[in-house]
Amino acid sequence: MGVCLRMVLFLVVLALGIGSNGVNGEVSSSTLRNISRINMEGPYLGIIVPNSFEMNPLLQSGSFVADHKFPYLDFSGRRFRIGRLENEKVIIVMTGLSMLNAGIATQLLLSLFKVKGVLHYGIAGNANPQLQIGDVTIPQFWAHAGLWNWQRYGDGPENELPLESNGDYTRKIGYLNFSDYNNCTKCKKSSENLLNNVWYQPEEIFPVKGIPEQRQHAFWVPVNKHYFAIAERVQGLKLGGCVNATCLQRNPMVVRVQRGISSNIFVDNKAYRQFLNSKFNATAIDMETAAVALVCHQQKMPFIAFRSLSDLAGGGSALSNEAAVFATLAAQNAVDVLLGFISLLSS
């Protein structure tokens, strides 16, 4: 975030009421002073992680050294942990589940602190039949696939969507036809479905250097080119492949892939998994990364994500989701890749 924008934010929070007790959205003077002192030691790499079971392996790894003056700052329901990883100063924040939580935590991180780049990691479902549980994916592009225009029954691809002429919605990205997934899909006769079609939509974005209130649109958001190039050198990293006595068929690997998908949906459905892979060439499926990517994209902040595959998103056993067994292994592998990347970044 630019110096001018950070100064504006500082003045705004000042106007909200310095010296107050922090109620009604006000920010206390002591919190503002601490933020200022923390930023004097920056810039930092921002480390964003969805949940505690994904964050704990990093905090317990021995690689993270908390700052002795300001080990953390609590703000607006989030704990921002200040310290070092490898040779980099970092601020770690846990978002919580979902796109909304991820977006809020990311925006707070970038608005409050002097950050030079954002690294996001966690576990994900796997939509790519060429990869296995335990592999760590590094997608080049991310998209939010949960923003839809749900088309009325009777209309089809040739029919304009409501408000499409205003530029609010589009048919350019594509759609999911529910009748393709009826139980009688294998029947020779066609069968309609009252749910009809949902059309995937891009997000409205408002770039930090754009004109206020003048929207732009984004569906596929790229990670930082420099970060993605460095990530190629992490691909030879050795990863864990066993949980107690249960081991994977081959050793997990780190792989750069083309695309990842996020939405407020836990995907445990074989048909939708196959659709996301065939339609969008998606590999990693999660519930947060695209939100982090979209905020960073609007704030012109370098960003990359590492998502370790914990389950097959419904494409495996019919008895249970594999994440119950392999989530801890996947989380540890994601942490190992994060640390390997930071080591290369600072070398």
Side-chain angles (χ1 to χ4, degrees):
M1 176 178 288
V3 175
C4 292
L5 185 58
R6 188 172 286 109
M7 181 58 68
V8 169
L9 174 71
F10 185 77
L11 293 174
V12 168
V13 293
L14 280 176
L16 288 174
I18 287 182
S20 70
N21 60 7
V23 298
N24 300 323
E26 296 172 328
V27 181
S28 70
S29 57
S30 61
T31 297
L32 290 172
R33 285 195 299 269
N34 287 338
I35 291 172
S36 179
R37 291 168 182 168
I38 291 168
N39 284 333
M40 288 177 64
E41 302 298 323
Y44 299 88
L45 277 177
I47 311 295
I48 299 177
V49 56
N51 296 300
S52 59
F53 79 87
E54 293 158 310
M55 180 175 64
N56 288 339
L58 177 62
L59 300 180
Q60 298 166 4
S61 66
S63 297
F64 176 69
V65 180
D67 186 86
H68 67 282
K69 292 182 180 178
F70 292 100
Y72 62 86
L73 178 85
D74 291 340
F75 187 91
S76 194
R78 264 75 182 182
R79 173 160 291 185
F80 296 89
R81 302 172 189 271
I82 297 94
R84 300 186 73 94
L85 282 172
E86 304 299 332
N87 293 319
E88 291 284 351
K89 297 177 181 180
V90 300
I91 297 178
I92 303 171
V93 61
M94 189 189 80
T95 69
L97 186 72
S98 86
M99 297 282 288
L100 175 62
N101 279 322
I104 290 173
T106 304
Q107 188 62 64
L108 284 172
L109 173 72
L110 300 187
S111 296
L112 296 174
F113 300 105
K114 190 176 182 180
V115 175
K116 63 181 181 179
V118 169
L119 312 181
H120 176 59
Y121 79 93
I123 67 172
N126 174 28
N128 187 338
Q130 303 302 316
L131 298 180
Q132 72 164 25
I133 292 171
D135 291 342
V136 178
T137 63
I138 310 174
Q140 187 176 9
F141 298 92
W142 284 92
H144 175 206
L147 185 58
W148 296 348
N149 185 308
W150 206 316
Q151 195 171 34
R152 69 173 59 195
Y153 178 70
D155 285 355
E158 71 282 359
N159 297 113
E160 186 175 279
L161 301 174
L163 305 180
E164 183 178 352
S165 60
N166 296 340
D168 293 339
Y169 299 103
T170 180
R171 285 172 288 165
K172 294 181 180 179
I173 297 170
Y175 66 100
L176 168 65
N177 183 353
F178 283 94
S179 67
D180 290 341
Y181 297 92
N182 291 340
N183 284 335
C184 63
T185 299
K186 295 182 179 180
C187 302
K188 293 184 179 180
K189 63 178 182 179
S190 63
S191 177
E192 296 180 342
N193 191 305
L194 293 175
L195 292 176
N196 202 25
N197 305 317
V198 291
W199 292 83
Y200 291 87
Q201 301 299 316
E203 287 276 1
E204 289 187 354
I205 62 171
F206 300 86
V208 64
K209 295 184 180 179
I211 300 174
E213 299 182 357
Q214 183 170 309
R215 68 183 179 183
Q216 298 180 25
H217 290 93
F219 188 73
W220 291 112
V221 178
V223 302
N224 179 263
K225 291 182 180 180
H226 176 59
Y227 285 180
F228 194 66
I230 293 176
E232 183 177 15
R233 297 159 57 193
V234 189
Q235 291 185 115
L237 188 66
K238 185 177 180 180
L239 301 173
C242 296
V243 177
N244 298 323
T246 303
C247 295
L248 298 166
Q249 292 182 349
R250 65 161 171 81
N251 291 329
M253 60 184 182
V254 185
V255 57
R256 297 192 306 174
V257 298
Q258 186 179 22
R259 291 172 172 176
I261 288 284
S262 304
S263 65
N264 283 324
I265 304 166
F266 184 93
V267 177
D268 191 30
N269 182 277
K270 182 178 181 180
Y272 194 56
R273 170 194 194 244
Q274 292 173 341
F275 171 82
L276 291 176
N277 181 255
S278 62
K279 176 65 179 178
F280 297 119
N281 193 27
T283 294
I285 309 172
D286 68 32
M287 301 176 67
E288 295 87 19
T289 306
V292 181
L294 282 159
V295 173
C296 289
H297 181 65
Q298 294 180 81
Q299 298 293 329
K300 304 298 181 185
M301 180 62 60
F303 157 83
I304 197 168
F306 314 99
R307 282 287 184 161
S308 183
L309 306 177
S310 62
D311 61 273
L312 300 178
S317 169
L319 300 178
S320 64
N321 185 282
E322 300 83 2
V325 176
F326 293 105
T328 55
L329 172 67
Q332 183 61 59
N333 283 353
V335 169
D336 292 344
V337 173
L338 172 77
L339 294 174
F341 179 86
I342 293 175
S343 179
L344 291 171
L345 187 63
S346 60
S347 63

